[in-house]
Amino acid sequence: MTIATITTARKSTPSATSATPAVPAPPATSATGAVRLAHGDGWFTVCDRGLLTPGRGVSVLLPDGDQAAVFLDRSGRVHAVGNRDPFTGAYVLARGLLGSAGGRAFVASPLLKQRFDLATGACLDDEDVSVPVFAVRVE
């Protein structure tokens, strides 16, 4: 499994219309382009879509020092959640296993195997626990 921490990325400030779009952004399924995460008051470029491998995750370092786990699922959709496992405190979710339950994509922590919904961040095994979710777009 390849884990990459990408520290040389660009941040841009979205226009007023893209900060609060009237229409939701299209799913991040483009086969090429830059993967960008919503972070703070802008969009942060993390990597090229072509560098992601289906079923695998990468860890990215965000401008505030936090980390995100970015995944390309087998259907070609890009997801991003916080990389910190809330049960252990370790930054390992990018190394987790992707799966699905009830048609919902999840990542299972590589340590204690709790599953986190990639769309909502909710833990499927403990309703009181969740991880942050980042909006993703491929441009």
Side-chain angles (χ1 to χ4, degrees):
M1 180 178 307
T2 303
I3 304 299
T5 300
I6 301 169
T7 58
T8 56
R10 297 178 309 271
K11 180 180 178 188
S12 67
T13 304
S15 66
T17 57
S18 66
T20 54
V23 178
T29 57
S30 174
T32 62
V35 175
R36 296 167 54 85
L37 304 184
H39 185 67
D41 60 355
W43 289 90
F44 183 71
T45 302
V46 296
C47 69
D48 184 75
R49 162 62 179 74
L51 296 174
L52 299 175
T53 303
R56 305 280 178 130
V58 296
S59 174
V60 297
L61 184 61
L62 300 172
D64 63 2
D66 202 4
Q67 294 181 25
V70 179
F71 300 95
L72 176 64
D73 68 20
R74 303 242 181 236
S75 68
R77 185 173 171 93
V78 181
H79 305 272
V81 297
N83 194 32
R84 183 178 175 275
D85 179 340
F87 290 94
T88 65
Y91 290 85
V92 296
L93 290 183
R95 297 188 332 207
L97 301 173
L98 293 186
S100 64
R104 308 277 309 185
F106 68 79
V107 60
S109 171
L111 299 178
L112 301 177
K113 309 302 185 243
Q114 284 89 358
R115 300 166 301 151
F116 299 93
D117 186 302
L118 291 174
T120 66
C123 179
L124 303 178
D125 303 301
D126 185 337
E127 64 186 34
D128 295 328
V129 179
S130 65
V131 295
V133 173
F134 298 91
V136 178
R137 65 184 185 194
V138 178
E139 299 178 330

